[in-house]
Amino acid sequence: SVALTARGLVVVRRLRLATAELRSALEELAGLRGHETGHLVIGAMPLSRARLLPHAIVAFHAAHPQVEIAIVEGSHAELVNPLRDGEIDMMVGALRPPKISGDLHQRALFTDRPVILGRAGHPLAGLTEKITPARLASYPWVVAAPGTPLHGHWRAMFEGADIVPPRRSIACGSVMMARQMLVESDFLTLLSPDQVRVEIEAGWLVRIADAPGDISRTIGVITRADWRPTPLQARFLAQLDSGAEEIGSFKRNL
């Protein structure tokens, strides 16, 4: 078979970036002539899909209906190379340690703190006394897949109290499936409240307790370090900032 050398891969990436920058320049020139056109390609990581990105896209589209918007869903590992190649403009989701992404720029939007959630009417819902890790371990759990940061937080929640994590647990990466299992049973989960905001506001799910320990993730925007946004891209970034403020207000009132 035939494959590119390491140097060939560098050349291809530079050509892709050059093409993306030329396309953005032409769109910016069209805007200066009064013909607002263009398109945005946004990489959506899991923690941005429930509220932050949909809210920002709806508001941005209302102000700029001529702009085409494409959403590419995936994990950080799946989206980071398309970002580097210029195939997507930005990624939105959980930020990574700076040392992992030295060629990328990360900008924080808000801090996400997962909480323990269960169905309305769950035996642990509404209790005034502190719920111990041992009591939490007596219930079945639906948790993120092994190897993910959230799964590690879940294990540390029990191991920090010298308790073996519950064996009656289901590993599931789908928030939709986890939600349905919670509604139909006494399962518990560790999730960002923003990921199930609709279910909380509808009264289907409730916060059982805060997660023991300091469990938090920073949600933000990831771009190439040398990327300069066009006016349209800058407006979308401003819309994300506005949405992050609204999410912060929701979390404070939960």
Side-chain angles (χ1 to χ4, degrees):
S1 62
V2 178
L4 289 171
T5 63
R7 180 59 182 170
L9 290 172
V10 171
V11 172
V12 168
R13 173 161 291 169
R14 288 177 177 173
L15 286 172
R16 287 173 177 167
L17 281 173
T19 300
E21 293 297 335
L22 286 170
R23 183 173 57 247
S24 295
L26 291 173
E27 293 170 356
E28 191 169 351
L29 287 171
L32 292 173
R33 297 190 190 101
H35 304 289
E36 186 177 71
T37 60
H39 73 283
L40 296 174
V41 184
I42 303 162
M45 292 187 284
L47 289 176
S48 68
R49 301 172 193 166
R51 177 67 182 174
L52 178 62
L53 263 181
H55 174 80
I57 290 169
V58 168
F60 183 83
H61 184 264
H64 308 282
Q66 298 87 358
V67 178
E68 296 180 1
I69 301 176
I71 308 299
V72 182
E73 295 187 57
S75 65
H76 183 277
E78 293 168 332
L79 296 174
V80 69
N81 281 331
L83 176 68
R84 288 175 168 136
D85 290 345
E87 295 175 8
I88 61 177
D89 299 316
M90 66 190 77
M91 294 165 54
V92 185
L95 303 185
R96 296 304 193 266
K99 63 181 180 181
I100 295 178
S101 53
D103 62 328
L104 303 175
H105 174 70
Q106 301 190 131
R107 184 166 68 85
L109 293 173
F110 63 92
T111 299
D112 174 72
R113 298 185 184 279
V115 299
I116 299 168
L117 298 163
R119 65 173 175 85
H122 191 283
L124 297 181
L127 297 182
T128 56
E129 69 268 22
K130 184 178 180 180
I131 302 174
T132 64
R135 193 166 184 184
L136 291 171
S138 67
Y139 285 89
W141 285 74
V142 53
V143 295
T148 61
L150 193 58
H151 187 91
H153 288 319
W154 175 76
R155 291 190 62 87
M157 189 171 69
F158 295 101
E159 293 171 348
D162 293 325
I163 295 173
V164 176
R167 298 187 182 278
R168 295 183 300 156
S169 63
I170 296 176
C172 176
S174 168
V175 174
M176 185 178 298
M177 289 187 64
R179 175 202 66 192
Q180 197 61 31
M181 285 187 273
L182 292 176
V183 169
E184 295 183 5
S185 68
D186 287 341
F187 272 93
L188 297 173
T189 194
L190 182 66
L191 273 180
S192 163
D194 190 54
Q195 290 181 279
V196 286
R197 175 171 180 164
V198 172
E199 290 80 0
I200 292 173
E201 292 179 339
W204 301 341
L205 299 180
V206 296
R207 184 181 66 82
I208 300 296
D210 292 326
D214 184 20
I215 298 177
S216 65
R217 297 169 290 184
T218 302
I219 310 303
V221 183
I222 305 174
T223 60
R224 297 184 299 278
D226 58 355
W227 181 69
R228 292 186 179 183
T230 66
L232 279 176
Q233 292 165 342
R235 288 171 205 158
F236 185 79
L237 290 172
Q239 193 63 59
L240 285 174
D241 289 333
S242 176
E245 292 178 5
E246 194 268 345
I247 287 174
S249 176
F250 167 73
K251 292 180 183 295
R252 289 190 294 270
N253 294 328
L254 179 63

